[in-house]
Amino acid sequence: MIEQTLVLVKPDGLIKSLTGNIISVLSETKLKIVAAKMVSVSKELAEAHYSELRQSLVKKHGEKKGNAIFESVLKYIQGEYHTNRVMALVYEGENAIEKIRKLAGSTNPEDANPISIRGKYGRINSKTNVFENVVHVSDSKENAKKEIQLWFEPEELTNVIYPTKKRKVTMDKIVWE
Ligand code: ADP
C-alpha cells in the first residue's frame, strides 16, 4: 500500500543542527521525499495541527496540568523555546507511516528506543514538562492525510495521492521586487 506521511523536524531539531542527521536516518527506509519546506509556525497552524491534543492531555494529567502542558506544546512547535522554524517533509512509499514511525520512536523520549531519533536526541524539559522529541511523524493514514493537507498545498508535492479539485482564486501575493 503506497502511503504518504508527514515529518516535521521541530524547532529543537533545527537548533541542535539535527536536520541532516534525521534525513539521513530516514533515508534508510528508501522512501521518496515528495515535498520539503521551511515553515514559521503560526498560532493558527499550531492549534490546527494539535486540534485533538488538549483533550487527551487534560484526560491524562487533569485540567490544570493538562492545559498547562498543552499551552507549552503550542509554544514549543511555534519555536518560542528554540527557533521559529520547522522543516516539513512528505515521505512516500510502501507502508511509509509505519516505517517512519519506527525510526522516530515513542512520543516520550524516555520511553523511546535509545537508537530511535527521539530516543537519541529527545529530552523532557523539566521546566515546561514538554516532551521535546525533535520530530513529529504522522501516526495513522487518517492523520497523515489531514496533516499533509494542513501543511502543504497540492502544488508543493511532486506527486499527489489525495483527490484534488480546481478552484479559481484571486489573491494578493508577495513577489520579488
Ligand atoms: P506524537 O507527536 O507522538 O504524535 P501526540 O500527538 O500525542 O504525540 O503529542 C504531540 C506532542 O505533544 C508530542 O510530540 C510531544 O512533543 C507533546 N506531548 C504529548 N504528550 C505529552 C505529555 N504527556 N507530556 C509532555 N509533552 C507531551
Side-chain angles (χ1 to χ4, degrees):
M1 175 65 151
I2 298 293
E3 296 171 344
Q4 289 185 342
T5 187
L6 180 80
V7 173
L8 303 176
V9 180
K10 295 184 182 180
D12 52 330
L14 288 169
I15 209 97
K16 292 175 175 174
S17 297
L18 290 171
T19 312
N21 200 307
I22 290 163
I23 291 174
S24 172
V25 170
L26 297 182
S27 73
E28 288 167 22
T29 61
K30 307 286 179 218
L31 296 166
K32 247 195 303 193
I33 297 173
V34 295
K37 65 176 175 182
M38 301 303 300
V39 183
S40 294
V41 181
S42 64
K43 183 125 199 269
E44 293 68 38
L45 179 56
E47 280 171 349
H49 180 73
Y50 287 131
S51 60
E52 273 142 41
L53 184 63
R54 185 192 292 273
Q55 235 179 347
S56 71
L57 288 173
V58 165
K59 207 169 154 193
K60 198 163 155 198
H61 297 281
E63 194 78 34
K64 195 159 173 252
K65 191 171 175 199
N67 275 314
I69 295 177
F70 180 71
E71 293 303 325
S72 296
V73 170
L74 288 184
K75 286 186 185 161
Y76 166 42
I77 197 74
Q78 287 176 85
E80 288 193 29
Y81 306 123
H82 305 93
T83 174
N84 181 17
R85 286 173 305 138
V86 155
M87 187 171 193
L89 304 114
V90 178
Y91 281 81
E92 179 184 293
E94 199 68 40
N95 296 322
I97 297 167
E98 180 57 33
K99 283 179 183 162
I100 297 271
R101 271 182 73 73
K102 212 167 162 203
L103 292 175
S106 305
T107 305
N108 180 341
E110 286 186 356
D111 294 340
N113 183 332
I115 62 164
S116 66
I117 294 168
R118 287 166 162 179
K120 259 191 205 161
Y121 305 119
R123 67 165 191 172
I124 301 179
N125 185 315
S126 58
K127 288 201 188 85
T128 59
N129 291 312
V130 171
F131 301 156
E132 293 182 355
N133 52 12
V134 183
V135 287
H136 166 83
V137 302
S138 304
D139 64 0
S140 64
K141 275 184 208 167
E142 192 193 356
N143 283 336
K145 178 175 185 233
K146 183 187 133 195
E147 291 169 1
I148 289 166
Q149 294 186 353
L150 178 66
W151 286 81
F152 287 93
E153 299 292 336
E155 69 205 24
E156 293 177 303
L157 275 71
T158 57
N159 187 40
V160 165
I161 63 169
Y162 303 115
T164 55
K165 62 183 177 191
K166 262 199 182 141
R167 181 191 291 156
K168 258 216 167 20
V169 288
T170 326
M171 60 177 188
D172 288 340
K173 194 176 167 188
I174 294 177
V175 296
W176 301 118
E177 232 174 13

